[in-house]
Amino acid sequence: MYQTRPDDYAAFRCLAGACPQTCCAAWEIVVDPDAQDAYLRLQHPLAAKLRRVLRVDSEGDTYFAQTDGRCPFLCADGLCELQRTLGEQSLCRTCRDFPRWEVLLCDRVERGLSPACPEAARRLLARTAPLRFVSAPLPDDGYVPGARERRLTAAVTAVRDRVFALLVRPGHTAEENLAAALDFARAAQRLLDRHRIAALAAGKVPAVPADVAAEPMAPAALAAAFASPEPLDARWPELLRRVAALPACPPPRMTAVQQTCLAQAIVWRHGMDALDDRDVVFPVQYAAATLRLLACLAAVSDCTDAQLVVLVTREVENDPEALSRLCVGLQIEPKMNAQEACDDEKM
């Protein structure tokens, strides 16, 4: 068992009250069961307030009812009343972990930072070289994955590793590398749809047919794909309207390294989602579409690149259904039909 994370993961520090855009406002703060139990048992003057603001949504999740769009424990100085009064251990898992995320796989734990956090976004765009991923051993948790899980994990990992290698090819622009990664992901998807798991794990992915590659999305299509029925930021619909009015996507304002790092961060966060949804194309297409949208947003707003990265990431990553909507909006390539799948070997 081991953990893998970006090389600068441990260097992240929350800005707390100095943060230019607090994570304690605008979105729903879900309270995990352990924290909820602790709050309900609490013997402290804050206990009454805690119990008063706890709510349960339609999906059964417990959350803090907001006051004017802000967490009820967010103080005027940008600090948390709970942490200030009861210590960091009193925070629910959402508040304690963000912007850190963690995924448990059959043989490892993967960790990263969400660029929905202004400081994480700033650090990502301040890099002078692409992300590197480092590993370290962890105590064995006793879990023994089955053969099928091991094979699929190995296959999806091999696909993502190849995507990462393509994203950092020397002598090519960031856009060319993303296009190559997307072509590879489409070819890998054809094997995955045919259950060619062993071939994927071995890296035996044939070149994608020339007629499969799609043209990059136009501004209007990008705006439609990223639209949200319940935007977090009141500026979002107007910004997307301005993007849709552009005749074409402008050249990127971000540097090649910045584009590469953001693409890596997106693929790192979502590349292993294919273990559940069997879709290795979407993470790469999400990264490519995000970079094109950011170039468009830079042309129609006065926000900095870091501010735009935070804005886009929050709108997409905050809503559990947003990624599914985006997947449809980006017109992901259809899966192989049943007859085609039967023509190839099964896993």
Side-chain angles (χ1 to χ4, degrees):
M1 197 71 177
Y2 61 98
Q3 65 168 325
T4 305
R5 59 193 192 184
D7 53 344
D8 59 354
Y9 176 89
F12 172 81
R13 295 293 182 273
C14 175
L15 298 180
C19 183
Q21 189 174 354
T22 179
C23 58
C24 305
W27 48 21
E28 184 177 280
I29 298 175
V30 176
V31 178
D32 58 280
D34 289 342
Q36 180 183 357
D37 290 345
Y39 295 157
L40 294 177
R41 296 194 309 268
L42 183 65
Q43 300 294 320
H44 188 275
L46 268 181
K49 180 177 179 179
L50 271 164
R51 293 161 188 155
R52 188 170 65 249
V53 300
L54 287 175
R55 299 286 189 276
V56 178
D57 64 19
S58 59
E59 297 180 353
D61 292 327
T62 300
Y63 66 99
F64 290 137
Q66 295 185 341
T67 303
D68 296 327
R70 296 162 62 89
C71 174
F73 298 101
L74 178 61
C75 301
D77 59 4
L79 298 179
C80 173
E81 182 182 10
L82 278 176
Q83 182 169 352
R84 171 182 281 160
T85 306
L86 302 176
E88 185 177 356
Q89 70 278 4
S90 69
L91 298 178
C92 62
R93 187 177 304 135
T94 300
C95 299
R96 189 169 60 248
D97 292 348
F98 184 82
R100 302 170 186 86
W101 57 264
E102 178 178 291
V103 174
L104 177 62
L105 303 174
C106 70
D107 58 345
R108 64 190 183 274
V109 175
E110 293 188 346
R111 297 186 170 104
L113 298 168
S114 169
C117 163
E119 177 62 4
R122 185 199 66 77
R123 293 181 59 88
L124 186 68
L125 298 189
R127 291 182 61 96
T128 57
L131 291 171
R132 292 185 304 105
F133 298 94
V134 295
S135 298
L138 285 176
D140 193 344
D141 64 355
Y143 175 67
V144 180
R148 179 186 178 90
E149 182 181 0
R150 291 197 303 271
R151 289 198 300 268
L152 184 59
T153 300
V156 175
T157 300
V159 171
R160 192 183 61 176
D161 287 348
R162 178 58 180 161
V163 166
F164 280 144
L166 290 169
L167 289 177
V168 297
R169 290 185 308 167
H172 296 271
T173 67
E175 295 95 325
E176 289 170 343
N177 284 344
L178 258 172
L182 189 53
D183 286 346
F184 167 78
R186 290 192 177 103
Q189 186 67 55
R190 294 170 70 86
L191 287 184
L192 183 58
D193 292 340
R194 290 169 170 151
H195 305 282
R196 300 288 300 276
I197 305 302
L200 279 176
K204 298 177 180 178
V205 180
V208 66
D211 60 350
V212 171
E215 288 295 319
M217 296 181 74
L222 282 171
F226 281 87
S228 171
E230 297 181 3
L232 279 180
D233 195 304
R235 299 171 296 173
W236 189 238
E238 172 59 20
L239 287 173
L240 290 183
R241 187 193 66 77
R242 295 179 190 175
V243 167
L246 291 173
C249 288
R253 187 172 68 184
M254 292 195 300
T255 68
V257 171
Q258 289 174 325
Q259 294 176 74
T260 299
C261 288
L262 183 55
Q264 287 178 297
I266 292 174
V267 174
W268 178 245
R269 178 67 183 89
H270 294 287
M272 300 307 293
D273 290 353
L275 294 175
D276 297 317
D277 60 25
R278 302 299 194 270
D279 189 342
V280 295
V281 177
F282 173 68
V284 189
Q285 192 152 17
Y286 174 16
T290 295
L291 288 172
R292 286 179 66 81
L293 179 64
L294 287 167
C296 292
L297 288 169
V300 301
S301 78
D302 57 1
C303 296
T304 67
D305 289 326
Q307 289 171 334
L308 290 175
V309 168
V310 172
L311 179 65
V312 173
T313 306
R314 289 194 175 191
E315 293 294 340
V316 176
E317 302 280 350
N318 141 76
D319 181 353
E321 298 179 0
L323 287 174
S324 297
R325 289 197 304 269
L326 184 60
C327 183
V328 174
L330 294 181
Q331 302 172 358
I332 300 302
E333 208 176 318
K335 302 287 191 292
M336 292 288 175
N337 62 40
Q339 183 58 51
E340 289 175 312
C342 288
D343 291 339
D344 279 281
E345 67 183 14
K346 303 296 182 182
M347 180 169 66

